[in-house]
Structures are given as C-alpha cells and as structure tokens.
Amino acid sequence: KIMMAAFLTAFVGAFLFSIFPHYLMFLVSLFLMGCGMAMLQVAINPLLRVAGGEENFAFNSVLAQLVFGGASFIAPMFLTYLVTSIVVPAGQDNIIKNVFTKIIPENIPWISLYWVFAIICLVMILLIAFSVFPQVERKEDEKAGTWAVHKTLFRQKTVILFFIGIFAYVGTEQGVSYWLSKFLNSYHGYDTLTVGASIVGWFWGMMSIGCLIGLLLLKLFDSRRVLVGAVILAVTFLSLALFGSGKTALIAFPMVGFSLSVMWSIVFSLALNSVESHHGSFAGILCTAIIGGALMQIFIGWLGDMFGLRVSMCLIYLTLGYIFSIGLWAKPIINNETISIKKKKSISAELS
C-alpha cells in the first residue's frame, strides 16, 4: 500500500506539471515526486532486508544501487533523445514528434520527460496492484512506530551516528555531482551544457560499474572493509579532480562516482543490522537524513562565494572522513554473508 501511494504521489506530481508547465507548478511537482521517492525508500529498504535475508542485505542493496546508477546514467541520454526527436525541422516528422507536439508547448520540449515519468508511475501502480506478493508477517520491529518509539530510537547513540552517516553520504554524492559541472567550467573552461553534462552522466554511469564490482567484493570481504577501501579511493580521486589538470578532472570526477557506489548500501545495511528492533521506524529516520544532499549543496555554494569553489568542495573531505570512521566503529549484530561465512555454515550444518 505504501509503494502504491508513493507511485501515486509521484504520478500526481509529474502529471500536474505535464499539463500545467509553470514555475509554481514545477515546485509543487518536484516536492510531490521527491515525497514519493522518499516514501518508496522507507517502505522498500526494510522489505528488502526481510525478503532477501538480513545477511544478504548489503549485497541486495548494492544490486538495487546498480539499477539506480544505471537509470541515472541513461536518463540524461534519454532526455536528449526525446528533445532532439521533437525539435527536428518541419517535414522530418517521427512518431515521438507527432505524439508530443500535440500535448507540450513548443518552446519547452523537455516537458516530454515528465509525461514519461507519469506513465512509468502509472504502470508501476498497476503492476503492484495486480501482483501477488509473498505473505510476510511483519514483526513489530519492522513497522513504523509511534512518536514514543522514535524518541526511544533518538536516545540511542547508534541511531544518531548512522543518521549522520547517511547525511554525510548523500551530502558527498550530491555535493560532487551537483557542483562538478560548475567546477569544470570555472577552473578549466569546459562548457556546462556539453562537457559538464556529459561528465555528470559518466559520474552516475561509473557508479553503476562500481556497484557491479561492489557486489563481488561484498561476497568476498566484510562490508566494513569494503567501505574503508571505497572511502580511500574516493579521497584519492577527489583530490585529483580538485587539484589536477582539466583532463585529469574529466576522468577523476566520474571515478569519484565509481568510489561512492557501494557506500549508501553498506552504511544503510550496517545501520539496520546494528539495532535489534524498530527497523521500520529506523529506516524512516535514516531516509530523513537525505536532507544532507540539499544542505551540502548550499554550504558548498555559500563557501564558494567567499573562498572559491575549489576550497568549498574540500568540505567533502569532512563527510568522507566521517564515512571512513563508520567502517572502523560499526558493530553490526549481523554481518554481511561472504563466501567464507557461507562455507563455515555449510561445514557446521554437516557436522551437526
């Protein structure tokens, strides 16, 4: 029900802006679509943890992150395809142009993507409505609790520390992806709409590739070790991007995305696997920390106005440092299942 409500909320947001493409409606649309996606994360993460097994949660989360990164890589290309298909000269009509020119203003062809969003959300609502899900008995600790439950959670040091961890990760991800295009323009003269946009796409594309490698690593090593290694890589590539040449930055920024790919999934899974109860409420608290992405962008821009963008983006070193610390102090009740752990279980079962 929550997933259907989430897609319905996103559908309403996309559809409203599709038929009323004005600035005020754009803000309303953005808010509704953001709410829908946040609702999905709150509902899906605990469900994924139960459905796939607690010991496989980190692996399955990275797999989900792979899909996220792949979609983020494809989306800008798909938008370009839609726009270029719509704005072709007269006499060069095609199916896409014939469909969308009847329902969108001539001067804003990118509105077509919102129609696509609306259709996707509607399809997902229908798929969920007519799908047969396994019967899962939800425990009390998997349900979103009362305000008293949330207050109890906020009294726990572990909850606060992981809240900051999610805040730091999303702030890092958005701080880099949002400002890299402006950085390349300011310090190396690259055009934001061509080279900058391309590197943003590759940032998300490399995140998808990183997820593939992360899936393998999480079957071989403890997730905390993978997290520490990922942070070291991210710091290295961020340094090359900020202080290297223009050509180096073009390669290093996407590689930062590659390094960040497994962090969200590992931090989130470590968090949920570090508490014994109220995982539904805890997931909601963690998803609230996504606001770090908005605040980090503002802080970087504010500091950039005073000291320059290169200096302000060094703020990301602090968030990466905190994520690094998680790999050192996290003590999950249930560790991610690796090949060695699986072998030990198999041997124990045979002996018993």
Side-chain angles (χ1 to χ4, degrees):
K1 292 180 180 178
I2 296 298
M3 288 192 290
M4 287 182 63
F7 278 114
L8 179 61
T9 302
F11 166 77
V12 171
F15 184 70
L16 284 176
F17 186 56
S18 297
I19 57 178
F20 302 113
H22 305 294
Y23 179 69
L24 181 60
M25 189 57 69
F26 169 74
L27 295 180
V28 174
S29 170
L30 200 62
F31 175 78
L32 289 174
M33 294 178 72
C35 283
M37 297 304 103
M39 289 168 66
L40 277 176
Q41 288 185 322
V42 173
I44 287 175
N45 279 297
L47 179 61
L48 181 64
R49 176 177 174 272
V50 174
E54 297 169 343
E55 68 278 6
N56 295 313
F57 185 45
F59 180 87
N60 290 332
S61 295
V62 173
L63 188 61
Q65 190 78 352
L66 170 63
V67 179
F68 170 80
S72 300
F73 176 63
I74 294 172
M77 299 180 183
F78 183 65
L79 172 61
T80 301
Y81 171 72
L82 282 177
V83 172
T84 53
S85 297
I86 292 171
V87 298
V88 295
Q92 298 182 20
D93 296 350
N94 53 67
I95 296 176
I96 294 176
K97 180 180 179 181
N98 292 336
V99 170
F100 284 110
T101 51
K102 299 175 183 177
I103 56 176
I104 64 173
E106 184 177 352
N107 60 330
I108 43 177
W110 52 269
I111 296 295
S112 57
L113 192 61
Y114 279 78
W115 281 102
V116 175
F117 288 160
I119 293 170
I120 291 173
C121 290
L122 188 59
V123 170
M124 289 305 301
I125 292 171
L126 295 174
L127 282 175
I128 294 172
F130 291 100
S131 295
V132 179
F133 289 91
Q135 187 64 36
V136 179
E137 292 294 331
R138 297 180 67 200
K139 304 175 185 178
E140 285 301 315
D141 66 314
E142 296 296 340
K143 300 178 181 178
T146 62
W147 176 238
V149 171
H150 285 79
K151 287 196 293 184
T152 300
L153 286 170
F154 271 116
R155 292 192 190 103
Q156 298 181 30
K157 181 181 178 181
T158 300
V159 172
I160 300 298
L161 291 175
F162 276 110
F163 177 89
I164 298 172
I166 294 295
F167 184 100
Y169 168 74
V170 182
T172 300
E173 177 192 278
Q174 295 300 312
V176 177
S177 64
Y178 185 84
W179 285 108
L180 71 84
S181 181
K182 177 66 175 176
F183 180 90
L184 291 172
N185 176 259
S186 299
Y187 292 95
H188 303 295
Y190 292 115
D191 182 65
T192 56
L193 295 178
T194 54
V195 177
S198 175
I199 298 303
V200 171
W202 277 107
F203 173 90
W204 296 108
M206 291 305 296
M207 182 172 282
S208 297
I209 296 174
C211 285
L212 284 173
I213 297 175
L215 291 174
L216 174 63
L217 292 176
L218 285 170
K219 284 301 180 183
L220 298 174
F221 305 104
D222 185 284
S223 62
R224 289 165 291 184
R225 293 185 179 181
V226 177
L227 182 63
V228 168
V231 173
I232 293 173
L233 277 179
V235 169
T236 301
F237 288 122
L238 179 64
S239 300
L240 290 172
L242 294 182
F243 302 105
S245 64
K247 291 183 178 179
T248 299
L250 293 180
I251 299 172
F253 273 125
M255 291 305 295
V256 174
F258 174 85
S259 307
L260 298 180
S261 58
V262 297
M263 293 185 189
W264 162 271
S265 306
I266 292 177
V267 173
F268 209 103
S269 61
L270 284 173
L272 291 186
N273 286 340
S274 295
V275 297
E276 295 182 349
S277 60
H278 307 303
H279 295 102
S281 299
F282 191 20
I285 290 172
L286 292 174
C287 286
T288 305
I290 293 173
I291 195 173
L295 295 180
M296 192 67 171
Q297 291 180 19
I298 294 173
F299 289 150
I300 290 176
W302 176 61
L303 291 173
D305 286 340
M306 294 187 291
F307 306 107
L309 192 55
R310 175 175 282 136
V311 174
S312 67
M313 288 188 73
C314 287
L315 186 63
I316 296 169
Y317 287 119
L318 296 179
T319 54
L320 285 173
Y322 187 85
I323 298 170
F324 180 86
S325 74
I326 294 176
L328 303 179
W329 54 254
K331 296 179 179 179
I333 300 169
I334 300 172
N335 292 316
N336 62 297
E337 184 173 80
T338 62
I339 293 175
S340 60
I341 292 176
K342 202 166 186 179
K343 284 182 178 179
K344 289 179 181 178
K345 285 183 178 180
S346 177
I347 293 171
S348 299
E350 289 177 3
L351 292 174
S352 62

